[in-house]
Amino acid sequence: MIASIRGEVVELALDHVVLEASGVGYQLNATPATLAGLTRGEQARLYTALIVREDSMTLYGFADTEARDLFGLLQTVSGVGPRLAMAVLAVLEPEALRKALAAGDIAALTRVPGIGKRGAERMVVELRDKVNLVPVPPDRAAAVAAAVQTPVRDQVVEALTSLGFPLKQAEPAVDAVLAEHPDAGNSAALRAALGILGKNR
């Protein structure tokens, strides 16, 4: 299994990059955000996923392991293949994807070409609990952990459960709010979480 490739960027296109490593040029399909961070002639490292089909072997490249792992996770949903998984990550970067799945944000997911309302609902049902098992890169983990560990989180979750919302719905909604607004106070976080939960009912 090819886990990552480091080499010179010798070609950049709209949907792929060619990295030359040890005299071999590897073509990797990648999202616009990943490609935007690369410069022709410079060294780069991309984490990779190799998809093998009867008639092809295709490499996909990612800026970090989080995006690569989410790419794999998306394909566990029925009807989602590599192309659609890449489309999801092109429209929703990892943090936005996590929030959309945790909050059950169907509107955000249906912005992806090829995903309708039913497909988005299936993704939420199948991935809402699994998405939190994908590790967050260290540079973002500290910020996420800081948001998650605030007293506001516990108090707002408690308020939501007292209003009758199940814990498994309340926690992801509050986490989504605090990830986007880490400085939110109790009342602001509660209003935002109620807004998210209201959409899901």
Side-chain angles (χ1 to χ4, degrees):
M1 178 64 184
I2 302 173
S4 69
I5 296 175
R6 178 178 176 82
E8 181 185 346
V9 178
V10 294
E11 182 183 326
L12 271 174
L14 292 175
D15 61 350
H16 71 269
V17 60
V18 175
L19 291 183
E20 185 172 300
S22 301
V24 179
Y26 297 89
Q27 179 175 312
L28 297 92
N29 291 353
T31 64
T34 299
L35 294 169
L38 304 176
T39 304
R40 192 191 305 268
E42 293 191 359
Q43 293 286 311
R45 177 195 293 276
L46 290 181
Y47 297 91
T48 60
L50 176 63
I51 303 296
V52 179
R53 296 282 187 264
E54 285 185 11
D55 58 348
S56 66
M57 294 175 65
T58 308
L59 273 170
Y60 294 85
F62 307 91
D64 54 43
T65 55
E66 179 189 22
R68 181 188 64 192
D69 293 348
L70 288 171
F71 172 73
L73 182 64
L74 285 164
Q75 292 175 72
T76 64
V77 177
S78 175
V80 178
R83 284 187 182 180
L84 191 51
M86 285 299 281
V88 172
L89 290 169
V91 174
L92 299 168
E93 293 193 13
E95 188 173 355
L97 176 60
R98 286 177 182 274
K99 290 177 185 174
L101 292 171
D105 190 345
I106 302 301
L109 294 168
T110 53
R111 292 207 315 267
V112 179
I115 294 184
K117 184 180 179 184
R118 185 170 296 178
E121 289 171 345
R122 185 164 58 241
M123 285 175 63
V124 169
V125 169
E126 294 188 24
L127 302 183
R128 174 179 268 161
D129 295 330
K130 295 178 184 176
V131 73
N132 291 326
L133 300 178
V134 175
V136 178
D139 59 332
R140 282 211 305 111
V144 171
V148 167
Q149 297 304 323
T150 58
V152 172
R153 180 187 189 273
D154 294 337
Q155 292 166 13
V156 175
V157 167
E158 187 177 342
L160 290 170
T161 54
S162 69
L163 290 171
F165 291 98
L167 187 63
K168 67 180 181 179
Q169 290 181 13
E171 288 184 332
V174 175
D175 288 345
V177 169
L178 293 179
E180 189 167 353
H181 306 287
D183 299 326
N186 285 7
S187 58
L190 179 58
R191 282 197 304 272
L194 283 169
I196 290 171
L197 292 165
K199 293 177 190 174
N200 299 339
R201 285 201 152 181

